[in-house]
Amino acid sequence: MNIHEYQAKEIFRAHGVPIPPGEVARTPEQAEEIAARYGKAVMVKAQVHAGGRGKAGGVKFCKTPAEAREKAAAILGMQIKGLTVEQVLVTEAADIASEAYVGIIVDRATKKPVFMVSAAGGIDIEEVAATTPEKILYVPVDVRYGLRSYQAMQMGFFLHEDVKRARAAARIMGQLYEAFMASGASLAEINPLVLTPEGELIAVDGKMVIDDNELDRRPEIEALRDDSSEEPSEVEARLANLTFIKLEGNVGCVVNGAGLAMATMDLVKYYGGEPANFLDIGGSSNPEKVVNALRIITSDPSVKAILFNIFGGITRTDDVANGIVTATKQNPLKVPIVIRLTGTNEEIAVKILEDNGFAAMTDMDAAVQKAVQLATTGGAR
Amino acid sequence: MSVFIDNGTRLIIQGITGRDGSFHARQMMEYGTQVVGGVTPGKGGQRFDDTVPIFNTMAEAVRETGANTSVIYVPPPFAADAMLEAADSGVKLIVCITEGVPVLDMTLVYPFVREKGARLIGPNCPGLITPGQSKVGIIPGRICTPGNVGVVSRSGTLTYEIVYQLTRAGLGQSTCVGIGGDPINGTSFIDVLRAFEADPDTKAVALMGEIGGTDEQEAAEFVKEQMTKPVVGFIAGQTAPPGRRMGHAGAIISGSSGTAAEKIQSFKDAGMGVAQRPIDFVTLLQERM
């Protein structure tokens, strides 16, 4: 789960990371009021779950409160990568002597949280990694021992020769690590970590991504979720315990299992079609899940055909068949449906479907081809 | 022969009295797996289905039964502790089926299991099966048949689909291993490929990967450098958009890394067969065996 910059900064601040004062505004007037209260130059920053906010014009420097109002008015309501900006962070602008990058990710290769620090801050770290990898220091952390002082100091000295500054940076590394672990994060980033002309270190931008699997045991983090920054159909699916991602095509796919769901989408493409979505109904499906899945898929007007691909292991195919029958009785389908199922209780499922006027297929390739053809040509069930 | 499990596997089921654990305990017993015990704290001394002894702890279960393998069906909040307990009990193979284990929990579990000299498969995996001998996990037994294709995969139902198509085409399997779809898992493609290379009953390998990470690229490198047996690969998620997690926590394209195109190219560079569709495994394997 992504959280906003201002939320990440609040978590960092709670763990001691020095953050310039800032508050969220939802109107230009609020932005002006906050800027007036600070009595100095501010940054007005769009709060959306998208990278490249600065390039999109969503981050502006403002010398006066009037300018803050004007810039906030321009940013609020702006679209950044398809997302509407509904709030801005108004924060004291920092004077910059130099900028560094500090990030922690869970690294698949070492199977540990790994720090990445670089004196080349304020820019895209992936670009630094690709072009000048020697400018990045990687420090893996064994979570059983935590981040040790020597590791933090190693990073501090990588950024600053002066021992005082190195110590100050090391302290921030420790605080960031605490924030990362306490939040169940998969990524935490300060970019840039700014050195001011007065020699202070402050975190000017903050980013955090939370591991979805942590949310059940961290209700205080789950409460940070911003539904307005998600596709409405994806929110509905999440509440129904389905994994759903909307795409651009016209073949609506309902599949059990993430790998099979991806392979089904790929096969739709292989046979000349375009998938309308990724939808995984999960392992132990019940008829209710299928009803919800069909409701979400049929509410997308671009869907011209629906494809079910179910390989019954834990999933009982008769549950799926019952779900299809129930859902279509409640809301008769306006587009053709192709149902492929095989595995657990297949005979019962086929009988349920046939008794209700549906045809069942057993071959994946044949089913996908048929769905693609129906989506292209239309045609009644 | 086979890899990791065979008819000498003596299995403990952690969470044997839970909904999933009890269902799959019966499936495994029906398949012929030697289920020698179960663990549910507080139910020690009872018997599961009047036959399998239940213990309060893994230490007791291993001491009393001489088990060498455990399979975990406990809910996500308890899964990390179950894996640690299994490793501490001395079993050498631990299979964690549980889906939804926080990745930071795995950063704690992984080094511990390694230091105990145990092999962990999963979490968030369907387990493994050596057709005709033993199954540990949830792979449906009836879709498999004994033979010489080693199967290794990051996914669950996609593996079933492909194994089913292999079986229908008369291509039996030596062992099928689902390593799981999480970013940190106990066993990598390379670990399984190395085992298949050493297994005299495995003549060729079918490998099913996904978008996200670099495991497949590293596997391809291993195939190129160290394997004499033919390997055919497949990547799910060719149509997945970048930046979106496709169900599996590990299946996400970040930046330019982890794309299907990149992985498929690494397969080609390693001289592997590349299946465009699941069904292509059949002909590609037949040509190579």
Side-chain angles (χ1 to χ4, degrees):
Chain A
M1 180 179 83
N2 291 311
I3 61 174
H4 290 298
E5 174 194 357
Y6 79 91
Q7 296 169 323
K9 282 179 163 176
E10 276 167 24
I11 294 173
F12 292 172
R13 188 183 281 129
H15 285 88
V17 177
I19 307 271
E23 285 168 56
V24 169
R26 296 185 146 264
T27 65
E29 292 70 33
Q30 284 173 357
E32 181 179 25
E33 186 271 317
I34 296 164
R37 205 152 16 89
Y38 290 158
K40 50 171 87 167
V42 295
M43 301 298 292
V44 174
K45 308 176 81 178
Q47 299 295 292
V48 282
H49 296 319
R53 292 175 302 167
K55 279 181 197 148
V59 178
K60 294 289 181 195
F61 174 75
C62 311
K63 282 187 185 154
T64 64
E67 201 182 342
R69 186 189 59 216
E70 191 186 307
K71 295 282 163 53
I75 294 170
L76 288 163
M78 174 188 272
Q79 295 271 324
I80 299 179
K81 295 191 179 158
L83 298 167
T84 307
V85 181
E86 296 187 344
Q87 45 193 359
V88 291
L89 174 64
V90 182
T91 179
E92 280 185 12
D95 292 328
I96 298 170
S98 70
E99 299 180 299
Y101 171 93
V102 180
I104 313 175
I105 53 156
V106 178
D107 177 43
R108 304 165 76 124
T110 56
K111 303 182 199 287
K112 291 178 174 126
V114 173
F115 268 88
M116 297 177 291
V117 299
S118 176
I123 56 161
D124 186 0
I125 193 68
E126 288 196 7
E127 203 180 302
V128 179
T131 53
T132 47
E134 71 283 358
K135 289 190 178 166
I136 303 178
L137 176 68
Y138 296 89
V139 178
V141 179
D142 187 327
V143 296
R144 296 175 299 175
Y145 306 111
L147 179 70
R148 306 302 305 183
S149 295
Y150 79 90
Q151 294 175 303
M153 279 307 285
Q154 189 189 353
M155 293 187 275
F157 279 123
F158 187 74
L159 297 180
H160 299 285
E161 278 182 24
D162 175 71
V163 66
K164 264 189 169 164
R165 284 178 192 167
R167 279 213 180 93
R171 200 174 311 121
I172 292 171
M173 306 296 169
Q175 291 158 340
L176 185 67
Y177 180 74
E178 295 296 325
F180 177 88
M181 296 301 289
S183 311
S186 50
L187 177 145
E189 211 172 66
I190 299 174
N191 187 24
L193 176 65
V194 162
L195 176 71
T196 67
E198 294 76 37
E200 303 272 344
L201 287 171
I202 48 172
V204 163
D205 198 359
K207 183 179 176 183
M208 245 185 167
V209 179
I210 309 295
D211 176 3
D212 290 349
N213 291 343
E214 294 271 0
L215 295 171
D216 278 346
R217 65 182 180 190
R218 299 183 196 277
E220 76 287 359
I221 304 280
E222 171 66 44
L224 302 178
R225 187 186 288 281
D226 179 7
D227 280 349
S228 71
S229 60
E230 288 179 64
E231 173 76 29
S233 54
E234 293 181 9
V235 175
E236 189 186 353
R238 179 164 45 73
L239 296 174
N241 278 319
L242 300 167
T243 313
F244 174 81
I245 294 172
K246 190 175 160 7
L247 302 168
E248 302 302 316
N250 60 9
V251 180
C253 304
V254 183
V255 188
N256 65 322
L260 188 60
M262 285 190 279
T264 304
M265 289 160 52
D266 295 347
L267 208 56
V268 166
K269 182 114 177 168
Y270 181 89
Y271 287 117
E274 288 290 341
N277 63 278
F278 168 93
L279 196 159
D280 174 11
I281 60 170
S284 43
S285 73
N286 56 37
E288 190 60 26
K289 273 197 173 179
V290 177
V291 172
N292 288 328
L294 264 175
R295 191 184 61 245
I296 290 162
I297 292 216
T298 52
S299 65
D300 176 358
S302 54
V303 169
K304 300 299 177 215
I306 298 166
L307 168 66
F308 269 75
N309 185 17
I310 305 296
F311 201 106
I314 305 183
T315 305
R316 288 168 41 184
T317 57
D318 54 323
D319 277 348
V320 176
N322 277 321
I324 294 171
V325 171
T326 309
T328 51
K329 273 186 184 150
Q330 286 168 3
N331 286 305
L333 290 174
K334 296 184 185 70
V335 295
I337 184 169
V338 176
I339 304 163
R340 183 273 174 146
L341 40 78
T342 188
T344 312
N345 293 356
E346 178 181 330
E347 295 77 13
I348 308 172
V350 170
K351 176 140 188 0
I352 292 168
L353 290 173
E354 285 177 350
D355 288 351
N356 287 278
F358 293 98
M361 303 178 73
T362 51
D363 185 82
M364 176 165 162
D365 286 74
V368 171
Q369 281 174 284
K370 187 168 176 197
V372 168
Q373 184 234 324
L374 287 170
T376 315
T377 62
R381 195 174 85 215
Chain B
M1 280 288 287
S2 57
V3 307
F4 305 142
I5 60 169
D6 54 29
N7 45 27
T9 296
R10 296 174 58 79
L11 184 69
I12 300 284
I13 299 172
Q14 294 176 260
I16 192 169
T17 54
R19 192 195 57 182
D20 292 341
S22 57
F23 178 80
H24 290 288
R26 292 182 192 111
Q27 300 269 312
M28 287 185 279
M29 288 154 72
E30 233 171 75
Y31 195 77
T33 305
Q34 286 190 66
V35 177
V36 297
V39 170
T40 299
K43 295 196 177 168
Q46 300 178 18
R47 280 182 184 269
F48 173 78
D49 281 4
D50 298 326
T51 51
V52 179
I54 303 176
F55 302 92
N56 284 323
T57 66
M58 273 300 287
E60 194 187 353
V62 171
R63 192 169 62 236
E64 296 299 320
T65 64
N68 53 19
T69 303
S70 99
V71 63
I72 295 170
Y73 291 96
V74 308
F78 313 108
D81 204 58
M83 287 181 260
L84 295 171
E85 186 185 6
D88 212 15
S89 76
V91 294
K92 291 299 168 209
L93 180 65
I94 303 160
V95 182
C96 185
I97 307 301
T98 309
E99 177 178 0
V101 181
V103 69
L104 285 177
D105 285 5
M106 290 311 299
T107 63
L108 191 69
V109 169
Y110 182 83
F112 184 82
V113 170
R114 251 189 114 78
E115 284 161 21
K116 290 285 174 184
R119 169 170 301 289
L120 171 67
I121 295 179
N124 188 17
C125 79
L128 56 170
I129 186 166
T130 293
Q133 295 191 46
S134 183
K135 93 160 186 164
V136 175
I138 63 176
I139 298 175
R142 57 182 171 71
I143 61 170
C144 305
T145 193
N148 305 111
V149 179
V151 175
V152 59
S153 172
R154 252 164 84 177
S155 130
T157 48
L158 175 60
T159 317
Y160 309 165
E161 178 73 48
I162 290 166
V163 168
Y164 172 69
Q165 297 196 9
L166 295 181
T167 295
R168 283 206 301 184
L171 287 165
Q173 306 89 39
S174 54
T175 302
C176 306
V177 185
I179 61 173
D182 280 357
I184 295 185
N185 50 22
T187 292
S188 68
F189 280 124
I190 292 178
D191 297 328
V192 184
L193 289 173
R194 187 177 285 120
F196 281 141
E197 176 71 13
D199 172 34
D201 273 357
T202 301
K203 306 282 182 230
V205 178
L207 182 153
M208 289 130 228
E210 291 177 358
I211 53 167
T214 54
D215 283 9
E216 289 82 359
Q217 295 87 315
E218 284 148 26
E221 196 61 28
F222 179 85
V223 169
K224 192 174 164 184
E225 304 288 329
Q226 304 201 31
M227 283 193 72
T228 58
K229 296 176 183 177
V231 181
V232 176
F234 175 82
I235 299 293
Q238 300 179 44
T239 50
R244 303 302 306 268
R245 167 177 158 166
M246 301 304 269
H248 288 162
I252 183 166
I253 302 169
S254 51
S256 59
S257 91
T259 64
E262 179 187 349
K263 290 174 187 240
I264 288 169
Q265 190 56 47
S266 72
F267 287 175
K268 287 181 180 162
D269 293 345
M272 291 167 54
V274 177
Q276 290 286 320
R277 304 170 294 170
I279 189 68
D280 295 336
F281 271 107
V282 171
T283 41
L284 289 169
L285 285 166
Q286 279 166 343
E287 283 165 17
R288 285 165 174 76
M289 286 174 80

